[in-house]
């Protein structure tokens, strides 16, 4: 069991412990907007992903519930540019996870109708 005392001197004895985690970084690269462009955003379904200097190795599109909507593998991508088509998906916000040789970038794209 643990004992906790607040600044007013109140004491609480508990059989559980709450741990506060302060993140120091996400492990996901922070690429500048000049290096990565997703346009148009918002979109009606079709949009482009362009990386400045790095080659795109893979793209995963997910909805906000985490369901994977589309996976684009390296052999489908030519260089640092790719056009996606989500016209069959409902309006909403989607997560775009882009893998390069040394980075993983996560951005959001909005489909509006």
């Amino acid at each position: 069991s643990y004992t906790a005392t607040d600044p007013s001197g109140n004491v609480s004895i508990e059989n559980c412990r709450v741990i506060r985690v302060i993140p120091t970084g996400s492990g996901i690269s922070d690429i500048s907007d000049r290096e990565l462009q997703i346009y148009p955003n918002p979109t009606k379904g079709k949009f482009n992903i362009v990386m400045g200097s790095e080659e795109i190795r893979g793209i995963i599109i997910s909805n906000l519930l985490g369901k994977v909507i589309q996976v684009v593998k390296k052999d489908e991508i030519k260089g640092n540019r790719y056009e996606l088509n989500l016209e069959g998906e409902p309006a909403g916000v989607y997560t775009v996870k882009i893998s390069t040789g040394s980075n993983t970038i996560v951005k959001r794209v909005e489909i509006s109708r």
Side-chain angles (χ1 to χ4, degrees):
S1 83
Y2 300 92
T3 303
T5 306
D6 70 11
S8 300
N10 298 315
V11 177
S12 173
I13 299 174
E14 293 291 328
N15 290 330
C16 66
R17 169 173 49 170
V18 176
I19 300 172
R20 182 176 168 198
V21 178
I22 301 171
T24 58
S26 66
I28 296 173
S29 177
D30 184 21
I31 300 289
S32 74
D33 288 337
R34 286 182 286 149
E35 285 293 310
L36 172 65
Q37 298 176 13
I38 298 178
Y39 64 90
N41 191 10
T43 177
K44 294 188 185 296
K46 288 185 179 180
F47 60 97
N48 297 287
I49 298 173
V50 179
M51 281 294 297
S53 59
E54 294 190 60
E55 181 179 68
I56 300 171
R57 301 257 176 114
I59 302 168
I60 300 173
I61 308 294
S62 305
N63 65 20
L64 290 183
L65 298 175
K67 178 182 175 190
V68 174
I69 304 299
Q70 186 173 352
V71 176
V72 182
K73 297 180 182 174
K74 180 181 177 181
D75 58 342
E76 301 174 63
I77 302 167
K78 306 296 182 220
N80 64 348
R81 176 181 303 264
Y82 193 78
E83 181 183 61
L84 282 137
N85 185 348
L86 298 180
E87 289 179 330
E89 298 301 325
V93 178
Y94 292 82
T95 301
V96 180
K97 183 177 179 180
I98 303 155
S99 299
T100 68
S102 60
N103 295 299
T104 299
I105 305 108
V106 178
K107 296 286 187 178
R108 291 187 176 183
V109 67
E110 180 181 349
I111 296 176
S112 59
R113 306 250 193 280

